[in-house]
């Protein structure tokens, strides 16, 4: 039997209140081929922690179809429900949906302690409350679903709370209310099809990605019109491998509007998807060249890759912006990496708002703002603050702060033992973050112990050339300490060099309190126009 394609499928998203409400009225159902609820209390708490911190929690896979009246079971909750023409059967996501429903519903009384979840205002952690104990500094998540119920709880415990607690509580309710969980909905009256999709999702151990759906819908026979084709085409830049989901987001960003829209009918009216993949490749090339000019030589040095679709959209619309515009765009990039790209929770709402700042209307580029107005809008949502302090003794190279430190080290233009500039992009491509080697072994978390010294080179103690040592932030005193075997003093002295290096490197890019003004060319035009008037 041939499995029919997902011709009526589409992407969507649901807020947490929408999920709870849909479950309460019996719209959400679980097929018989699904496993039982298996999460423990820690899994449920971790889900809420991810929501609060804006982490992705995966895409739900749902099947919408007519369903008769009957008995519904979601975890520990069972109830009778009426016939529905719009029921949503859970193919992938039962554990997440059940956890949210059971922990947040007020319609049903739940005895199962796995779903009793409180938010501790002191630690900002989700905890399981002790039975029979009411802690006035722990908010039951059920009370944080909406502002009205939260305010009532706060009034009842006002004498135990500080002004900061009210801000934290407000952030909690905002995250739970505004977070949207992506979903892929299959509109197909065929359970065999759903079993096929479910088996593929779970046999791979991960959900179907948006890039995979995009490829399935628009990939050509020769694979020329696909995210993977763009990734492959950009390999000649030696910048590393871009994520296919970022390619999809970039394609949608170039076309304008909401990058989380339903992609099933994205190309219609005779449009050739291959043309847009070509445009996306060209725009991303310009974006990568811009990043390299900023000292980001490889994708493994990016604190996060969220800016890529935004930059692609910007350079697609404005391929040759003025130097001042590039400077403002740089300011947005670094402020975002250091302080966060926006006030929204999670990357998806930040990305959606950033794309709207650059290319707000779907398939309507003539309505896009000018380069200055676009960058001004991006900056307005990005914190303007001074460089924070960095802990050089807790270097985590996969984290944003760790990569900012590494970028500062890379800005020195590290030299090899022959005095030649090291090709950091090639080193990172070949060795990954292990290109950042150790001057002092077994101290990977110390910035003072790490540097771009090639493992094939002689020990750094064999080098006397001051220019080479300086390119690795090593002073004569630090070298002397390492030669004498005083490794702790070497690391401390080197961190004394790295600390101002990081501060100055970032300060020159953040430009705190700097004015956001149009380029001189626009100011001159404005002045000329006023004189003519």
């Amino acid at each position: 039997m041939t499995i029919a394609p997902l011709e009526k499928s589409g992407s969507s998203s649901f807020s947490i209140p929408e999920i709870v409400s849909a479950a309460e009225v019996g719209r959400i159902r679980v097929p018989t081929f699904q496993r039982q609820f298996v999460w423990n209390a820690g899994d449920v708490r971790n889900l809420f922690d991810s929501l609060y911190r804006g982490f992705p929690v995966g895409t739900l896979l749902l099947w919408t179809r007519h369903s008769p009246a009957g008995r519904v079971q979601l975890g520990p909750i069972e109830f009778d429900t009426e016939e529905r023409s719009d029921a949503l059967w859970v193919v992938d996501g039962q554990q997440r949906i059940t956890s949210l429903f059971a922990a947040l519903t007020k319609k049903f009384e739940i005895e199962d302690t796995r779903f009793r979840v409180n938010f501790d205002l002191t630690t900002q952690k989700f905890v399981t409350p002790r039975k029979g104990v009411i802690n006035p500094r722990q908010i039951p998540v059920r009370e944080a679903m909406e502002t009205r119920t939260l305010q009532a709880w706060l009034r009842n415990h006002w004498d135990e709370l500080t002004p900061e607690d009210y801000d934290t509580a407000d952030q909690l309710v905002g995250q739970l209310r505004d977070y949207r969980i992506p979903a892929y909905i299959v509109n197909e009256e065929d359970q065999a099809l759903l079993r096929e999709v479910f088996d593929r999702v779970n046999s791979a151990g991960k959900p179907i990605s948006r890039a995979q759906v995009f490829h399935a819908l628009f990939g050509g026979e020769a694979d020329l019109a696909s995210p993977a084709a763009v990734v492959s085409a950009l390999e000649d830049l030696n910048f590393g491998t871009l994520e296919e989901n970022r390619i999809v987001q970039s394609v949608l960003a170039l076309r304008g509007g909401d990058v989380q829209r339903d992609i099933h009918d994205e190309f219609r009216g005779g449009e050739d998807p291959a043309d847009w993949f070509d445009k996306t490749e060209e725009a991303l090339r310009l974006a990568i060249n811009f990043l390299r000019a900023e000292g980001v030589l490889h994708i493994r040095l990016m604190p996060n890759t969220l800016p890529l679709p935004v930059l692609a959209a910007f350079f697609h619309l404005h391929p040759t912006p003025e130097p001042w515009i590039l400077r403002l765009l740089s300011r947005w990039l670094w402020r975002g990496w250091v302080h966060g790209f926006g006030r929204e929770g999670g990357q998806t709402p930040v990305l959606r708002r950033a794309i709207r700042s650059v290319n707000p209307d779907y398939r309507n580029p003539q309505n896009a703002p000018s380069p200055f107005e676009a960058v001004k809008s991006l900056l307005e949502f990005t914190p303007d603050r001074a460089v924070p302090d960095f802990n050089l003794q807790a270097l985590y190279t996969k984290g944003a702060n760790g990569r900012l430190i590494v970028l500062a080290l890379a800005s020195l233009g590290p030299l090899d033992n022959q005095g030649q500039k090291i090709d950091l992009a090639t080193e990172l491509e070949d060795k990954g973050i292990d290109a950042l080697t150790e001057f002092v072994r077994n101290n990977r978390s110390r910035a003072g112990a790490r540097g771009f010294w090639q493992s094939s080179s002689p020990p750094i103690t064999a080098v006397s050339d001051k220019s080479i040592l300086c390119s690795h932030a090593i002073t004569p005193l630090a070298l002397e300490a390492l030669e004498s075997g005083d490794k702790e003093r070497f690391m401390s002295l080197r961190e004394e060099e790295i600390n101002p290096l990081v501060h100055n490197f970032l300060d020159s890019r953040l430009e705190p309190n700097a004015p956001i003004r149009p380029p001189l060319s626009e100011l001159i035009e404005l002045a000329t126009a006023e004189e003519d008037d």
Side-chain angles (χ1 to χ4, degrees):
M1 177 180 175
T2 302
I3 302 297
L6 306 182
E7 294 181 345
K8 298 180 181 179
S9 306
S11 297
S12 185
S13 65
F14 298 93
S15 70
I16 295 170
E18 286 172 341
I19 290 173
V20 175
S21 176
E24 287 178 338
V25 298
R27 188 183 178 197
I28 293 179
R29 314 284 180 94
V30 177
T32 56
F33 62 80
Q34 276 275 26
R35 63 177 177 169
Q36 297 298 309
F37 185 83
V38 296
W39 274 14
N40 58 34
D43 295 324
V44 177
R45 294 195 304 269
N46 287 338
L47 173 63
F48 279 93
D49 184 67
S50 295
L51 298 171
Y52 178 69
R53 298 169 70 181
F55 292 170
V57 296
T59 300
L60 305 175
L61 184 59
L62 305 172
W63 178 29
T64 181
R65 65 187 295 266
H66 177 273
S67 299
R71 190 89 176 150
V72 171
Q73 179 176 2
L74 287 171
I77 304 173
E78 289 188 58
F79 59 98
D80 292 320
T81 187
E82 298 176 349
E83 179 184 26
R84 295 195 69 97
S85 61
D86 61 345
L88 295 169
W89 291 78
V90 182
V91 183
D92 189 52
Q94 180 201 172
Q95 311 296 315
R96 287 162 284 168
I97 288 175
T98 300
S99 297
L100 293 172
F101 174 45
L104 295 172
T105 182
K106 290 187 174 183
K107 185 175 181 180
F108 301 93
E109 189 64 32
I110 310 298
E111 295 297 329
D112 193 327
T113 58
R114 288 178 296 179
F115 305 105
R116 292 183 178 176
V117 183
N118 287 2
F119 179 77
D120 192 301
L121 289 167
T122 302
T123 63
Q124 295 192 30
K125 300 289 185 182
F126 291 88
V127 298
T128 300
R130 293 170 58 189
K131 188 174 182 179
V133 177
I134 298 177
N135 188 327
R137 296 193 55 74
Q138 291 182 4
I139 305 174
V141 292
R142 189 169 290 140
E143 304 299 330
M145 273 288 286
E146 56 188 51
T147 302
R148 177 181 56 81
T149 56
L150 177 63
Q151 291 297 331
W153 187 92
L154 293 173
R155 284 195 299 271
N156 290 336
H157 300 87
W158 67 271
D159 54 337
E160 297 286 342
L161 305 176
T162 67
E164 291 76 18
D165 292 333
Y166 285 87
D167 292 337
T168 303
D170 185 64
Q171 181 179 354
L172 172 66
V173 70
Q175 288 293 89
L176 293 183
R177 182 187 60 228
D178 298 337
Y179 193 107
R180 298 193 69 84
I181 298 178
Y184 193 75
I185 301 175
V186 179
N187 294 300
E188 176 58 59
E189 296 279 347
D190 188 347
Q191 187 163 352
L193 173 65
L194 264 295
R195 288 180 186 271
E196 174 76 4
V197 176
F198 180 79
D199 288 343
R200 289 187 182 185
V201 170
N202 288 276
S203 64
K206 58 183 180 180
I208 294 174
S209 73
R210 197 160 156 82
Q212 290 170 317
V213 174
F214 202 87
H215 174 69
L217 291 171
F218 307 118
E221 291 184 1
D223 261 3
L224 296 177
S226 71
V230 177
V231 172
S232 178
L234 294 171
E235 288 179 354
D236 67 314
L237 294 178
N238 204 29
F239 189 73
T241 303
L242 276 64
E243 298 173 4
E244 290 187 24
N245 279 340
R246 290 299 189 205
I247 304 298
V248 171
Q249 291 169 343
S250 298
V251 173
L252 299 175
L254 263 63
R255 291 168 62 78
D258 186 358
V259 292
Q260 289 300 113
R261 61 182 174 268
D262 181 356
I263 60 178
H264 181 73
D265 296 321
E266 182 64 27
F267 299 108
R268 55 183 183 270
E271 285 188 293
D272 186 353
D275 290 340
W276 283 97
F277 283 107
D278 288 343
K279 293 175 182 177
T280 301
E281 178 195 334
E282 182 180 352
L284 284 169
R285 284 183 180 275
L286 294 173
I288 290 170
N289 288 335
F290 168 75
L291 290 169
R292 282 200 160 137
E294 291 297 310
V296 185
L297 304 177
H298 195 278
I299 195 170
R300 289 192 170 110
L301 292 181
M302 292 184 72
N304 68 55
T305 59
L306 180 145
L308 281 172
V310 184
L311 293 173
F314 182 86
F315 285 109
H316 170 67
L317 294 168
H318 316 291
T320 56
E322 296 185 45
W324 176 251
I325 297 297
L326 291 174
R327 182 171 171 179
L328 293 179
L329 191 62
S330 167
R331 195 184 297 172
W332 166 77
L333 179 75
W334 290 98
R335 287 182 181 180
W337 276 341
V338 175
H339 299 307
F341 284 98
R343 293 182 286 272
E344 304 92 335
Q347 287 201 14
T348 299
V350 170
L351 179 61
R352 294 171 76 177
R353 192 258 310 139
I355 295 299
R356 286 195 295 268
S357 296
V358 174
N359 194 12
D361 293 343
Y362 175 55
R363 300 176 67 192
N364 199 6
Q366 60 268 27
N367 282 354
S370 69
F372 171 70
E373 290 299 329
V375 179
K376 178 185 176 185
S377 179
L378 290 172
L379 282 167
E380 285 174 348
F381 283 89
T382 310
D384 179 6
R385 297 196 295 265
V387 179
D389 293 329
F390 285 80
N391 185 355
L392 300 183
Q393 298 188 10
L395 179 66
Y396 177 58
T397 53
K398 291 184 178 180
N401 283 356
R403 294 194 177 186
L404 290 168
I405 295 170
V406 174
L407 281 165
L409 290 172
S411 73
L412 293 175
L415 305 177
D416 65 16
N417 63 307
Q418 300 297 320
Q420 300 298 311
K421 194 168 184 178
I422 297 172
D423 185 348
L424 295 183
T426 298
E427 289 287 304
L428 288 160
E429 183 67 20
D430 293 344
K431 301 171 185 175
I433 202 63
D434 286 338
L436 192 74
T437 56
E438 296 176 72
F439 293 119
V440 179
R441 295 183 64 82
N442 301 319
N443 282 274
R444 296 178 66 85
S445 64
R446 291 284 297 271
R450 308 289 296 277
F452 288 105
W453 188 248
Q454 294 166 306
S455 55
S456 59
S457 297
I460 194 69
T461 51
V463 175
S464 58
D465 189 319
K466 290 184 178 180
S467 61
I468 296 176
L469 296 171
C470 185
S471 74
H472 294 276
I474 297 175
T475 64
L477 280 177
L479 182 65
E480 182 181 320
L482 187 60
E483 289 172 335
S484 68
D486 193 343
K487 297 177 182 179
E488 179 60 38
R489 177 169 168 75
F490 166 79
M491 291 187 289
S492 296
L493 287 171
R494 192 158 176 264
E495 284 162 1
E496 289 179 7
E497 291 292 308
I498 295 173
N499 189 51
L501 167 68
V502 172
H503 182 277
N504 294 336
F505 172 78
L506 294 176
D507 185 70
S508 65
R509 287 156 174 79
L510 298 181
E511 297 186 303
N513 301 315
I516 302 174
R517 60 161 178 80
L520 288 177
S521 59
E522 290 188 21
L523 293 175
I524 292 172
E525 287 180 10
L526 180 61
T528 302
E530 290 176 350
E531 288 178 2
D532 292 341
D533 290 342

